[in-house]
Amino acid sequence: MAKGNSNLLIFILAVGVFGILNTEMGVVGIIPQVSERFGVSVPGAGLLVSGFALIVAIAGPTMPLLCSKMNRKHVMLLSLGVFSICNVVAVFASSFEMLLACRVLPAAFHPLYVSMALAVGGQTGETDTERAKNSSRVFVGVSAGMVLGVPIASYLASAVLLQAALGFFAVVTVAVLVATVFLVPSMPVEGRMTYGSQLAILKKPVVWASLLATVFINGAMFGFYSFMSDFFGAVSQMNAEWVSVSLLLYGGANIIGNVISGHALGSKPALTLVVMPLFLVVLYAVLLAAGMIGPVAAALAFALGVVGGVANNANQFMVSRAAPEAPDFSNGLYLTAANLGTTLGTTLCGAFITAAGARFAVLGAIVFLLIGVLCVLWRQRCQRG
C-alpha cells in the first residue's frame, strides 16, 4: 500500500476508534441529564456505562476470534453500521430501556472494530519503527475518545440539550462509516488462521504476563482517573472551572503521550515498558504529597497525561507483540484485560477513599502499578526464556 494511502487509512482508523470510544466513555459526562430526562436514579443511569463495559469484556476475546477470517473492510462497515444505527436511534429514544438497548447492542462490536484497527495499525509500515508509530497513531483515537469525549458530551448536554450530546456520538460514527465506504480499500485477510491455532496463544506464558500487566497498569491509571475530578475538588481545592481545565490538560497530554510512545516503543521497547509505570509511581507519590496545592496538581495532571499516554499504548504493545501470529484475537484479549483492570482499579481506589478520604485514592493506583511492574519483569523473563 502506498504511503499516502496508508496515512489515509491510519487516519480513518484513528477517527473510527475515537467514535467507538467516544460512544462508550462520553456517556459518563451526561449521566445526570439522563437521570433527569428519563426519571431514573443516578446509579440506574450508570447502567449505560457499566452495561456497556460488561458486554465489551465478554465480547473482547470472542468477537475478534469469530470474525478473524472476514475481510477487514467488511468488519469495519459492520461495526460502524451497527454503532451508527444505534447512535441515531438513541437520539430519539423515548424511554430509558430503549436508550439502554442502544448501548448494549453496539457494545458487542466495540472490541471487533478496535482490535481490528489496532491490528491493522501494527501491521502497516515497512519497519518495526514505522509499524509502532502507526499503531500509536491509531491509539490516539482511543485516548481521545476516552478522555475528550466526556467533557465534550457534558458541555453539549448542559449548554444545549441531552439530544445534542447523543447526536454528537452519531455524527462521528456516521461520518467514519461514509469515509470507510468510499476511501478504504478491500482488505481480505491473508493466511487465515484456524480458531484452534489462535486459541493456542493462551498456552504462552508471555501472553498471560502481558495481560496481567495490562490489568494492573490500566487499572491504576483509569481507576484513579475515575476519581480525578473528586481529588482536584476535595483535595486540591479547585473550583469547577479549574477542575475542567485540569481534566482537559490531562486529556490533551494523554494524546501527546500516544505520539511519543510511537518513538519510544519503536526504538527502546523493553526499557519503555518498565520505565513508564515507574514514572507513574513517582508522579502519583508526588501528587499524594503535594496534591493539595492547586497549581502543583494541575501541572501533575499534565505530566500524568503524557506518561499515562505512553504507558497506555505500551499495554497494547505488550499484548500484541506477545502473540503477533493472532493479532485480532490478541487485541481482543487486550481490550478485555484493560476493561477488567479499569473495573478492579476503580474498586480499589474507591475502597481507599472510603477508608481514608479522597486524597488516598492515589495509593490504590500506586499499589496496582507496583504489581504491574512485577508482571512486566515476568514478561521480559518469559521472552528471554
Side-chain angles (χ1 to χ4, degrees):
M1 184 180 294
K3 185 167 184 178
N5 292 336
S6 296
N7 289 337
L8 177 61
L9 173 62
I10 295 299
F11 175 75
I12 292 173
L13 289 173
V15 179
V17 169
F18 168 75
I20 301 294
L21 271 295
N22 177 51
T23 299
E24 176 185 9
M25 297 299 296
V27 170
V28 171
I30 61 174
I31 291 298
Q33 289 86 351
V34 169
S35 173
E36 181 179 354
R37 167 71 175 79
F38 294 102
V40 296
S41 66
V42 169
L47 285 173
L48 297 178
V49 179
S50 59
F52 193 107
L54 177 62
I55 298 299
V56 171
I58 294 172
T62 54
M63 289 292 282
L65 179 65
L66 292 174
C67 299
S68 59
K69 299 179 182 180
M70 289 178 59
N71 184 301
R72 281 170 165 169
K73 179 172 181 177
H74 298 165
V75 171
M76 295 170 72
L77 293 175
L78 173 63
S79 304
L80 291 168
V82 172
F83 264 88
S84 296
I85 292 170
C86 290
N87 283 344
V88 169
V89 173
V91 177
F92 305 100
S94 57
S95 67
F96 179 74
E97 290 73 19
M98 180 182 292
L99 183 60
L100 182 60
C102 289
R103 295 279 297 167
V104 171
L105 179 59
F109 294 85
H110 170 294
L112 180 59
Y113 185 91
V114 175
S115 64
M116 180 276 307
L118 293 172
V120 171
Q123 295 170 345
T124 302
E126 298 180 357
T127 66
D128 285 342
T129 299
E130 287 182 3
R131 289 189 283 270
K133 287 181 180 178
N134 284 328
S135 180
S136 70
R137 287 166 183 156
V138 174
F139 217 95
V140 167
V142 176
S143 293
M146 297 187 82
V147 298
L148 297 183
V150 173
I152 292 173
S154 179
Y155 173 78
L156 289 173
S158 59
V160 188
L161 287 171
L162 172 62
Q163 285 77 6
L166 296 172
F168 172 63
F169 304 153
V171 167
V172 176
T173 51
V174 170
V176 181
L177 174 62
V178 173
T180 301
V181 170
F182 293 104
L183 299 177
V184 173
S186 176
M187 292 187 291
V189 176
E190 299 177 0
R192 296 181 179 180
M193 298 179 64
T194 64
Y195 295 137
S197 61
Q198 293 183 75
L199 288 169
I201 69 171
L202 295 175
K203 298 178 181 179
K204 299 169 65 174
V206 68
V207 170
W208 287 104
S210 302
L211 292 172
L212 285 173
T214 297
V215 167
F216 288 108
I217 296 173
N218 199 77
M221 292 188 294
F222 287 96
F224 178 70
Y225 178 68
S226 300
F227 304 105
M228 188 176 284
S229 59
D230 182 53
F231 183 96
F232 288 152
V235 179
S236 306
Q237 298 296 304
M238 295 182 185
N239 58 29
E241 181 181 11
W242 272 104
V243 169
S244 298
V245 169
S246 297
L247 291 175
L248 285 172
L249 275 174
Y250 180 90
N254 208 259
I255 295 173
I256 294 172
N258 279 158
V259 176
I260 294 173
S261 68
H263 299 278
L265 292 169
S267 59
K268 297 184 181 297
L271 181 63
T272 302
L273 294 180
V274 176
V275 168
M276 286 305 108
L278 289 176
F279 274 174
L280 284 173
V281 170
V282 172
L283 291 173
Y284 281 130
V286 175
L287 188 64
L288 177 64
M292 63 287 301
I293 304 171
V296 173
L300 286 170
F302 181 83
L304 283 168
V306 173
V307 180
V310 179
N312 204 17
N313 204 336
N315 288 339
Q316 187 272 332
F317 179 92
M318 274 193 296
V319 178
S320 64
R321 292 303 189 276
E325 67 272 27
D328 296 300
F329 182 46
S330 63
N331 278 305
L333 291 172
Y334 157 74
L335 292 170
T336 294
N339 277 273
L340 177 61
T342 298
T343 301
L344 295 176
T346 301
T347 301
L348 181 61
C349 291
F352 272 99
I353 292 174
T354 301
R359 178 185 173 194
F360 294 93
V362 179
L363 285 179
I366 291 174
V367 169
F368 261 33
L369 283 169
L370 293 175
I371 299 174
V373 171
L374 294 177
C375 292
V376 172
L377 294 174
W378 173 34
R379 179 190 187 276
Q380 294 187 346
R381 183 176 180 181
C382 291
Q383 278 194 317
R384 288 193 297 269

